[in-house]
Amino acid sequence: MNQLQKWAIRGFYLAWLGILAALTRPPFTFLILNTFLAYIPIELSFHIGKKRPQNGLLFWLISLVWLLFYPNAPYLLTDLFHLSLLEPYGSNGLLRLDNSMWLNFTLLIVSAIPSTILGMWGMNQVNSGIIDRLHLPKWSAPIGILVLSILSSIGIFIGRFLRIHTIYLFMTPPSLFIQPLLNMWSAKAIRFMILLTFVQVVIYWSLHLISTNNNKTDENN
């Protein structure tokens, strides 16, 4: 991704957050904060990659902060459940043609889909950087993606069910959230994490296939 594309993404999120601030109404105002939190790992991933940053300590520091914020990107997919608040089906069992409902649908989708896709691009950047720094073989790349997806699913669970947002880690004494984190493990929680990991891996795999195919097409041309 070149610098022009990165600035286009920055411009999109700046404009989109403004649109969300202007158009969202309760109970959908949460979308403003959630979209902003999803953008943070995307911005951080712009500064991570093979040989970037050159300073090893800085690389690991940025990568750690990225890891703390990354779950906020795919987390937006779980926000789609809030569409049920709109009571989308009419008395006839068909979807209602209501402008307000479809506006909120658009706001949710446009926040969730690009953030998930761009977040996964960033995950690939971080994974490639880690492989390069640790001098790992190329075949370990899928393992790294799987591990990062599992960690992301754990983060999504923490945010969705424990209501502990990433920002709390910087504003709240650790003693207040360590115990809930230790007590959260259950069969239901683990099944949720497995399912969310599967969702992320399938999306990443789909994007990887498209990217690989496009690269081969460019080479053939």
Side-chain angles (χ1 to χ4, degrees):
M1 187 179 295
N2 59 43
Q3 289 298 322
L4 180 60
Q5 292 170 323
K6 292 177 181 178
W7 279 106
I9 292 170
R10 291 173 178 132
F12 164 76
Y13 273 95
L14 180 62
W16 186 245
L17 286 168
I19 291 172
L20 290 176
L23 297 181
T24 53
R25 298 291 183 271
F28 292 97
T29 50
F30 66 85
L31 199 53
I32 302 171
L33 175 61
N34 288 1
T35 302
F36 173 72
L37 291 175
Y39 169 70
I40 292 176
I42 295 171
E43 176 62 38
L44 290 173
S45 68
F46 290 163
H47 308 279
I48 302 175
K50 293 181 179 179
K51 313 299 182 184
R52 191 175 69 251
Q54 293 185 353
N55 183 284
L57 179 61
L58 184 58
F59 169 83
W60 290 110
L61 179 61
I62 297 176
S63 297
L64 177 60
V65 177
W66 171 88
L67 182 60
L68 291 175
F69 280 95
Y70 172 67
N72 291 291
Y75 177 92
L76 280 170
L77 292 174
T78 67
D79 277 337
L80 297 179
F81 277 107
H82 292 292
L83 290 170
S84 63
L85 298 173
L86 299 172
E87 298 180 354
Y89 292 98
S91 58
N92 58 0
L94 301 177
L95 281 172
R96 296 188 297 115
L97 186 57
D98 179 86
N99 289 339
S100 177
M101 182 188 80
W102 287 104
L103 172 62
N104 284 304
F105 171 84
T106 300
L107 297 177
L108 280 162
I109 290 295
V110 175
S111 286
I113 302 303
S115 295
T116 300
I117 293 174
L118 292 170
M120 289 186 175
W121 176 87
M123 177 171 63
N124 189 66
Q125 288 289 105
V126 174
N127 189 51
S128 297
I130 291 174
I131 289 173
D132 183 72
R133 299 282 171 160
L134 298 180
H135 306 291
L136 298 174
K138 290 185 177 180
W139 57 260
S140 64
I143 298 175
I145 293 298
L146 177 60
V147 171
L148 291 174
S149 297
I150 292 172
L151 294 175
S152 173
S153 296
I154 295 173
I156 294 171
F157 179 88
I158 292 170
R160 175 54 65 194
F161 296 102
L162 301 187
R163 308 306 298 168
I164 299 176
H165 292 285
T166 310
I167 198 168
Y168 292 171
L169 300 177
F170 301 93
M171 301 173 59
T172 308
S175 58
L176 296 181
F177 55 76
I178 288 179
Q179 198 59 43
L181 295 180
L182 294 176
N183 294 335
M184 72 180 188
W185 300 97
S186 66
K188 287 184 177 180
I190 292 173
R191 281 195 290 268
F192 172 87
M193 295 170 191
I194 291 173
L195 290 172
L196 265 292
T197 298
F198 178 73
V199 168
Q200 292 179 80
V201 168
V202 169
I203 295 175
Y204 177 86
W205 174 72
S206 302
L207 295 172
H208 179 71
L209 286 180
I210 295 171
S211 176
T212 302
N213 183 65
N214 287 339
N215 290 337
K216 288 183 178 180
T217 301
D218 292 339
E219 290 175 1
N220 292 333
N221 291 336

